[in-house]
Amino acid sequence: MFTTQQILERGKNVLIGNYGRLPIVMARGEGSSVWDTDGRKYIDLFAGFGAAILGHCHPSLVAAATGQIDKLWHVGNTFYTEPQIEFAERLNASAFPGKAFFCHSGLEANEAAVKLARLRGQQSTPRKWKTISLNRSFHGRSMALIAATGNPATKAGFEPMVPGFLQVEAGDFGALESAVDAETAAIMVEPIQGEGGIYPLTLEYAQQLRQLCDARGITLIFDEVWTGGGRTGKWFGYQHFVSPGATSTGDCVTPDIMTLGKAVGGGLPVGVMYARPDIAALLVPGKHGCTLGGNPICMSVAREIFDVIQAQGLLEHARKLGEMGMATIKANRRLTDRIVEIRGKGLFLGIELKSDPTELVEKALANGVIVNLTAKRIIRLAPALNISEETWKHGLAVLMNTIEQL
Ligand code: PLP
């Protein structure tokens, strides 16, 4: 047996220091609770950067994983396996008509999307190959995707950037229109900018994007790595882009390609590029692939997550708890001087503070709650969708006390 101090020392010796790790060793989890090696319990309001969408060790997901572990591990994508097909069918049932490519992460899903948009762009004269994205965006950390990411800090030290990527101001449609040229293959945006600080795109802007892409033959990519899989109280973030009075989900602003990660694997490595069938058809053998993409164990869990969310009405639960959380924080007069705004959808919320807090995350942890801070002063909350109302209320109360004491 090692003491926590000894484990921390061992970790520092063997793990690269590219994460700002806290001096805590997490040992086990159940639902929205996790315990460290000293037995301290925390309420998890950030669920593994939003990935643990049904919390820790959900019994149905454990059963799905172990059921598959005993059957078949991996055969490579030259064969069909049923878990892949079943998960893709779940996507079909909840999103626009499309076809899926599976990988392990959001980054890989975005790489595949950008590649596919370029393949499509090859059919035009002149050849379309450029991707426009937004300031304050985050799309991943490969060489291509740091070029697509609208945050100078993510690019710093890795210049020169891969050519063919540029960013414009989020929400400024005029700037976007002027940036588009005959070589623009794709426009890639997050329905709610996550790493940037929980900034939802407006319906009007989304509609303008769709019209522009249709008019100019540009592929519209929605990076739904944060917003996909139920996080926002709808299956996918784009489903919020719906005109008032619209009667069917088909009436929303739909992308040509949607990328998924985080929540769809529930904490296991699953990435998805999901594309309109006519565009997906361009990805023929030899153009793209991923050895472990669509691994049957991960796919069984992904399929089960969709079924649990559906069967337990968790989208509605997420919407209800999200609205309740926003209202509770807004109504707290003791926080009026500290908070600029609270924004987001479903269980994906950002609380913007008036000034940069010191050690907010550490103080919240000391009080027993896991939260995240992004863009220096925006507290992000992304708990499991199945968090109970009681735990959510308690976690928020602890967080609000922590903010008050800053
Ligand atoms: N896209 C968005 C919107 C993200 O927020 C992230 C990660 O946070 C990524 C892509 C990259 O995903 P991954 O870390 O799974 O590669």
Side-chain angles (χ1 to χ4, degrees):
M1 275 290 278
F2 293 95
T3 64
T4 297
Q5 207 46 47
Q6 287 168 328
I7 301 173
L8 290 172
E9 283 309 316
R10 285 167 52 217
K12 280 183 200 148
N13 285 339
V14 294
L15 301 176
I16 292 181
N18 59 318
Y19 300 107
R21 288 189 206 265
L22 299 153
I24 294 176
V25 183
M26 290 303 187
R28 73 185 178 88
E30 190 184 321
S32 285
S33 301
V34 286
W35 287 263
D36 67 17
T37 39
D38 294 325
R40 266 188 63 94
K41 180 181 169 181
Y42 305 85
I43 296 176
D44 192 352
L45 295 188
F46 202 53
F49 278 74
I53 196 80
L54 293 182
H56 302 272
C57 311
H58 189 289
S60 304
L61 306 195
V62 172
T66 49
Q68 185 60 40
I69 275 174
D70 278 346
K71 252 193 234 160
L72 178 74
W73 274 48
H74 196 59
V75 288
N77 282 306
T78 42
F79 298 96
Y80 286 96
T81 60
E82 276 194 280
Q84 270 195 20
I85 297 166
E86 288 169 1
F87 177 42
E89 284 170 347
R90 301 300 190 276
L91 294 172
N92 255 246
S94 48
F96 56 93
K99 290 191 169 188
F101 160 79
F102 296 120
C103 49
H104 322 114
S105 64
L107 153 71
E108 290 169 293
N110 284 338
E111 279 283 339
V114 169
K115 282 179 72 177
L116 183 51
R118 282 199 183 186
L119 276 183
R120 186 182 179 211
Q122 268 198 335
Q123 300 176 327
S124 305
T125 313
R127 189 168 67 87
K128 293 179 187 287
W129 62 288
K130 297 177 188 165
T131 297
I132 302 178
S133 50
L134 302 180
N135 285 342
R136 224 170 37 201
S137 62
F138 185 84
H139 298 294
R141 292 187 184 274
S142 66
M143 284 308 300
L145 292 169
I146 58 173
T149 287
N151 177 357
T154 311
K155 303 176 199 271
F158 302 108
E159 299 86 353
M161 288 292 110
V162 171
F165 293 90
L166 86 148
Q167 284 87 57
V168 295
E169 202 56 34
D172 182 346
F173 185 66
L176 179 66
E177 258 186 323
S178 345
V180 165
D181 64 23
E183 294 181 330
T184 305
I187 295 177
M188 178 159 73
V189 300
E190 301 158 78
I192 300 178
Q193 295 190 305
E195 301 305 308
I198 319 283
Y199 291 97
L201 299 187
T202 63
L203 168 65
E204 189 196 2
Y205 188 69
Q207 287 169 334
Q208 287 171 325
L209 288 179
R210 185 64 274 174
Q211 280 158 12
L212 177 67
C213 287
D214 288 343
R216 304 288 298 262
I218 296 168
T219 302
L220 181 58
I221 304 172
F222 280 177
D223 176 344
E224 295 248 13
V225 171
W226 251 118
T227 50
R231 164 69 46 217
T232 67
K234 301 244 180 190
W235 281 118
F236 306 103
Y238 79 83
Q239 292 166 341
H240 290 282
F241 296 137
V242 54
S243 303
T247 45
S248 98
T249 47
D251 290 337
C252 49
V253 177
T254 305
D256 301 306
I257 302 179
M258 161 173 87
T259 57
L260 303 167
K262 292 187 190 282
V264 290
L268 296 190
V270 176
V272 187
M273 182 197 60
Y274 185 81
R276 241 173 58 188
D278 58 311
I279 301 179
L282 300 169
L283 215 56
V284 294
K287 288 295 178 207
H288 199 61
C290 180
T291 302
L292 286 172
N295 165 275
I297 302 163
C298 294
M299 292 291 105
S300 299
V301 170
R303 175 200 58 203
E304 189 64 26
I305 291 170
F306 267 66
D307 290 352
V308 171
I309 291 176
Q310 181 79 50
Q312 299 187 356
L314 293 178
L315 297 179
E316 205 189 321
H317 180 71
R319 289 199 292 272
K320 183 181 138 202
L321 262 52
E323 278 162 24
M324 175 199 291
M326 285 223 209
T328 308
I329 295 171
K330 277 184 192 160
N332 186 334
R333 304 243 154 146
R334 295 193 307 274
L335 297 182
T336 318
D337 289 345
R338 310 221 172 229
I339 292 177
V340 178
E341 190 183 26
I342 167 157
R343 23 174 209 268
K345 288 199 161 58
L347 285 173
F348 190 36
L349 301 181
I351 306 165
E352 181 168 346
L353 301 177
K354 287 196 173 155
S355 55
D356 298 0
T358 25
E359 302 194 327
L360 178 272
V361 171
E362 290 82 347
K363 286 172 184 160
L365 278 168
N367 292 335
V369 168
I370 300 174
V371 297
N372 172 266
L373 192 71
T374 192
K376 294 197 176 135
R377 61 175 69 163
I378 297 157
I379 303 171
R380 280 192 302 180
L381 304 181
L385 292 196
N386 56 343
I387 189 169
S388 70
E389 191 171 323
E390 193 191 348
T391 307
W392 176 234
K393 278 185 180 160
H394 179 57
L396 287 179
V398 175
L399 174 62
M400 287 190 293
N401 281 336
T402 309
I403 297 174
E404 250 188 81
Q405 288 156 15
L406 284 174

